[in-house]
Amino acid sequence: MHELHDILEAKNYIFSKTDARPTIGMILGSGLGMLADEIENPVTIPYSEIPHFAKSEAIGHANEMVIGQLKGKTVVAMKGRFHYYEGFSLDEVTFPVRVLKAIGVENLIITNACGAVNTNFTPGDLMLITDHINLVGANPLIGRNNPELGTRFPDLSKAYHPELRQKALEVAAKQGMTLQQGVYAWWSGPTYETPAEIRMIRTLGADAVGMSTVPEAIVAAHAGISALGISCLTNMASGILDQPLSHDEVIEVAGKVREKFVNLVKGIVEEL
Ligand code: HPA
């Protein structure tokens, strides 16, 4: 379990590398890392250098923090994240969110690639996360609570901040982009779901399913960070179409909608 002094060590290391003090954070999921390349005056810090960060091996992820300016705002982008399915503890998965809070982040845009459970959606659509369902049965806040980091029993009724969501909808409308909205269910992975599990997940009220985001959103809520979640629906979830799911397909579709995704996130950053 990470302690406050671990968080402060990571913060001090980052502050020793840059004078920039970002209040906007972004966690960039599969295929979106190049958004960080658009950050001006970038200071890049590999996760491996940051005290107490775990090391990620997921394909397609660069594993570095990029701090600089985007659309005139000082931002910090996490290029690559830690996943539960890689074997990291949820404490390791969410430690970066604690560090973002410590360096001054107030608004956090969490992105991911996920499967569409709602059959009205189409691969390549973007979805604003309105709420989540935690199907994993684990929670990053299990364990002793440090009241300096947040309250013991956090409220999650506004985990995906309504005002930020409204802004995202306005930006999407201004850009003439269709932005779906829905509930994201967290699946541990690394297997994709079975068709029966997808039917269950739909019955439970989810519109999309993926293997990230929820632990980070929980810790953001605990830390008092306003979070926004945006998903790229890269595929129809298991059993909807008569075809197997593959990571290649996920990466390919994420790549195709990259420009739309990047423009949406940049447009939102501009409004923050
Ligand atoms: N299920 C879970 N995670 C995913 C999917 C999916 O269908 N697509 C991309 N990430």
Side-chain angles (χ1 to χ4, degrees):
M1 190 84 166
H2 284 107
E3 301 290 345
L4 193 54
H5 54 82
D6 298 335
I7 299 168
L8 296 179
E9 267 180 49
K11 168 191 164 176
N12 291 340
Y13 183 77
I14 293 163
F15 278 5
S16 76
K17 294 284 166 186
T18 175
D19 293 329
R21 295 294 177 260
T23 57
I24 301 169
M26 300 178 286
I27 299 177
L28 304 176
S30 304
L32 250 200
M34 41 74 65
L35 174 52
D37 301 340
E38 301 205 19
I39 293 176
E40 294 159 29
N41 310 313
V43 171
T44 299
I45 310 172
Y47 295 165
S48 56
E49 283 183 12
I50 305 176
H52 310 292
F53 262 50
K55 292 187 178 81
S56 175
E57 286 151 15
I59 349 160
H61 288 218
N63 304 320
E64 58 197 19
M65 194 177 262
V66 184
I67 300 177
Q69 270 73 44
L70 187 68
K71 289 281 176 187
K73 306 287 166 78
T74 303
V75 302
V76 49
M78 301 258 320
K79 213 172 160 182
R81 56 151 60 87
F82 304 102
H83 295 93
Y84 191 47
Y85 63 72
E86 292 173 273
F88 296 112
S89 69
L90 289 180
D91 187 44
E92 291 174 311
V93 168
T94 58
F95 181 70
V97 179
R98 296 291 183 199
V99 175
L100 293 180
K101 171 71 181 182
I103 67 174
V105 167
E106 294 164 1
N107 293 309
L108 178 62
I109 304 174
I110 310 176
T111 68
N112 65 51
C114 67
V117 173
N118 184 327
T119 54
N120 294 319
F121 294 167
T122 307
D125 282 352
L126 300 183
M127 187 190 89
L128 187 62
I129 301 178
T130 56
D131 202 347
H132 75 227
I133 297 176
N134 180 354
L135 293 174
V136 174
N139 189 303
L141 302 181
I142 288 175
R144 186 177 51 79
N145 187 59
N146 181 345
E148 287 184 274
L149 300 181
T151 181
R152 174 73 288 188
F153 301 108
D155 172 56
L156 290 185
S157 63
K158 292 182 178 165
Y160 304 89
H161 203 270
E163 277 171 35
L164 294 184
R165 274 157 50 198
Q166 188 53 38
K167 278 203 173 108
L169 291 171
E170 285 164 15
V171 170
K174 217 189 312 175
Q175 295 183 350
M177 170 196 304
T178 306
L179 183 57
Q180 306 287 10
Q181 298 188 67
V183 173
Y184 176 97
W186 178 35
W187 188 255
S188 76
T191 52
Y192 292 110
E193 306 72 24
T194 65
E197 284 160 349
I198 291 301
R199 289 193 296 275
M200 172 192 79
I201 289 168
R202 186 180 302 116
T203 303
L204 292 176
D207 300 287
V209 62
M211 305 177 193
S212 68
T213 301
V214 166
E216 295 146 345
I218 289 173
V219 168
H222 185 245
I225 295 175
S226 300
L228 185 69
I230 307 174
S231 296
C232 172
L233 302 158
T234 52
N235 55 280
M236 298 313 290
S238 176
I240 297 177
L241 305 174
D242 189 20
Q243 62 187 49
L245 303 186
S246 80
H247 185 62
D248 290 346
E249 179 194 9
V250 169
I251 295 300
E252 188 193 325
V253 176
K256 280 188 187 149
V257 298
R258 191 175 278 167
E259 201 179 317
K260 179 167 82 163
F261 208 160
V262 163
N263 286 336
L264 177 63
V265 174
K266 277 162 64 179
I268 295 166
V269 165
E270 196 171 13
E271 297 298 321
L272 291 176

